[in-house]
């Protein structure tokens, strides 16, 4: 009996080692990962769809987020398509995040669906009217913009510019950028004028306006550069300072909606975008305005509060 004892103990030890290895393998097949401290690391897939005005920020933040060791097992994918598309897809469960330039209730008529969505405001975007550099105009009034986008004025000479036909480069009705521009620059919705160009992407709008003689459109500050003539609105420039102070009115919050409370990985990504690292660097570098810089607030009805 005593001679067999060492053999029995060795056998038991071997069985225990096998059991321990088995439990580790079982955990691995369930997707658990270690962050080196014994805690499970975050993992998952995040699909953010919607606003092309917000897209540059979400894409850049997503790349930086995935480069952080703590989040290396999380994948962030970003797609455009417009605010309406983003809100519809997150509401239907096709996307993790719906990126939008407008409040959900401005695009979704079903109050029950709106109530399911949680609003995460991550920045402020200002929208500026822009034209081809050769139109000879630097400033337009609200009424002049209404006349242009409604088709009443069709030549730049009628608003103090060159004798050149006006070419409207518009966004589709699903676009949050269009909704913001119509609501706060025009004060009314306008139809699509025959002969106007309609594009889904802010990047394409920028390209067309810069290359098309007589073109006019509107873009978020994040897309502006020297290839365009940025037009003043009622004599006021679309600058960060003017938006923060409330003197330039064509702006909106950038929303990242989730259906209900976000899961752990998505919450970590949203928190990362709201961190000082992103808000004080990427947000400002890309032409957005940090939430902390605003001296005024705006509700879903468009009311501005000091």
């Amino acid at each position: 009996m005593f001679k067999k004892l060492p053999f029995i103990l060795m056998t038991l030890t071997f069985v225990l080692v096998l059991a321990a290895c088995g439990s580790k393998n079982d955990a691995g097949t369930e997707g658990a990962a270690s962050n080196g401290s014994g805690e499970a690391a975050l993992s998952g897939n995040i699909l953010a769809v919607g606003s092309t005005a917000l897209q540059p920020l979400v894409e850049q933040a997503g790349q930086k987020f995935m480069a952080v060791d703590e989040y290396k097992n999380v994948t962030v994918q970003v797609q455009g398509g417009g605010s309406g598309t983003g809100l519809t897809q997150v509401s239907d469960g096709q996307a993790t995040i719906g990126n939008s330039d407008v409040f959900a209730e401005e695009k979704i008529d079903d109050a029950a669906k709106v109530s399911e969505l949680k609003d995460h405001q991550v920045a402020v975007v200002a929208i500026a009217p822009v034209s081809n550099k050769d139109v000879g105009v630097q400033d337009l009034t609200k009424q002049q913009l209404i006349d242009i986008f409604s088709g009443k004025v069709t030549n730049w000479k009628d608003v103090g510019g060159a004798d050149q036909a006006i070419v409207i480069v518009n966004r589709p009705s699903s676009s949050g950028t269009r909704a913001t521009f119509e609501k706060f620059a025009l004060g009314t919705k306008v139809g699509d004028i025959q002969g106007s160009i309609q594009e889904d992407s802010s990047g394409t709008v920028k390209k067309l306006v810069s290359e098309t003689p007589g073109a006019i459109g509107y873009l978020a500050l994040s897309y502006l550069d020297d290839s365009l003539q940025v037009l003043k609105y009622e004599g006021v420039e679309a600058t960060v300072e003017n938006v923060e102070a409330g003197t330039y009115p064509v702006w909106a919050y950038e929303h990242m909606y989730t259906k209900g409370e976000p899961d752990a990985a998505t919450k970590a990504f949203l928190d990362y975008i709201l961190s000082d690292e992103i808000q004080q660097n990427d947000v400002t570098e890309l032409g957005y305005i940090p939430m902390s810089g605003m001296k005024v607030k705006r509700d879903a009805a468009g009311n501005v509060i000091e």
Side-chain angles (χ1 to χ4, degrees):
M1 176 69 181
F2 291 107
K3 290 181 180 180
K4 293 181 179 180
L5 187 58
F7 175 75
I8 293 171
L9 291 173
M10 187 167 61
T11 302
L12 287 171
T13 302
F14 183 66
V15 170
L16 289 171
V17 169
L18 283 177
C21 290
S23 65
K24 287 180 182 177
N25 288 337
D26 288 343
T29 59
E30 292 173 2
S34 173
N35 60 9
S37 64
E39 298 177 358
L42 286 176
S43 62
N45 296 302
I46 298 170
L47 174 61
V49 179
S51 164
T52 57
L54 180 53
Q55 191 172 353
L57 174 61
V58 182
E59 284 181 337
Q60 185 163 305
Q63 291 299 316
K64 293 180 73 171
F65 178 79
M66 290 186 290
V68 177
D69 189 60
E70 184 180 355
Y71 310 126
K72 64 183 179 182
N73 294 318
V74 179
T75 301
V76 179
Q77 294 177 285
V78 185
Q79 297 175 6
S83 298
T85 299
L87 290 166
T88 298
Q89 290 200 11
V90 73
S91 178
D92 291 345
Q94 297 173 312
T96 322
I97 295 171
N99 294 331
S100 177
D101 310 323
V102 297
F103 287 89
E105 49 264 53
E106 295 181 69
K107 285 289 181 184
I108 300 176
D109 294 329
D110 190 332
K113 287 188 175 183
V114 172
S115 67
E116 292 177 336
L117 300 179
K118 184 171 179 59
D119 186 7
H120 310 272
Q121 297 175 4
V122 298
V124 166
V125 61
I127 310 296
V130 295
S131 71
N132 184 273
K133 295 189 79 169
D134 297 329
V135 303
V137 170
Q138 296 182 342
D139 188 358
L140 289 173
T141 66
K142 176 180 179 178
Q143 189 58 53
Q144 286 173 327
L145 282 170
I146 293 171
D147 292 344
I148 289 171
F149 280 89
S150 64
K152 184 177 179 181
V153 169
T154 58
N155 194 299
W156 283 106
K157 69 179 181 180
D158 295 327
V159 289
D163 185 2
Q164 188 174 52
I166 295 173
V167 179
I168 297 172
V169 183
N170 216 339
R171 295 294 304 281
S173 59
S174 63
S175 165
T177 302
R178 176 170 176 167
T180 298
F181 183 75
E182 289 182 340
K183 188 170 185 176
F184 300 117
L186 307 182
T188 183
K189 291 185 177 182
V190 292
D192 295 316
I193 306 304
Q194 187 174 1
S196 66
I197 302 169
Q198 192 172 108
E199 288 295 337
D200 288 331
S201 164
S202 294
T204 308
V205 170
K206 174 183 174 181
K207 183 176 180 358
L208 284 171
V209 172
S210 66
E211 296 177 355
T212 306
I216 185 172
Y218 44 88
L219 289 165
L221 265 59
S222 50
Y223 283 89
L224 305 185
D225 60 26
D226 292 339
S227 69
L228 302 160
Q229 175 64 58
V230 182
L231 303 170
K232 293 179 182 178
Y233 177 78
E234 295 280 2
V236 181
E237 288 185 55
T239 65
V240 171
E241 293 76 18
N242 287 339
V243 174
E244 287 179 337
T247 55
Y248 183 81
V250 194
W251 62 269
Y253 294 111
E254 291 290 27
H255 311 259
M256 296 179 72
Y257 279 96
T258 56
K259 190 171 184 178
E261 293 294 336
D263 59 34
T266 305
K267 184 179 185 305
F269 181 47
L270 293 168
D271 288 344
Y272 183 74
I273 290 181
L274 287 169
S275 69
D276 286 344
E277 178 183 350
I278 299 298
Q279 290 287 309
Q280 302 305 321
N281 295 289
D282 303 69
V283 168
T284 56
E285 288 167 9
L286 290 172
Y288 304 91
I289 301 168
M291 295 296 294
S292 60
M294 294 299 294
K295 298 177 178 64
V296 294
K297 293 182 179 180
R298 178 177 274 159
D299 61 22
N303 301 310
V304 175
I305 307 161
E306 291 292 334

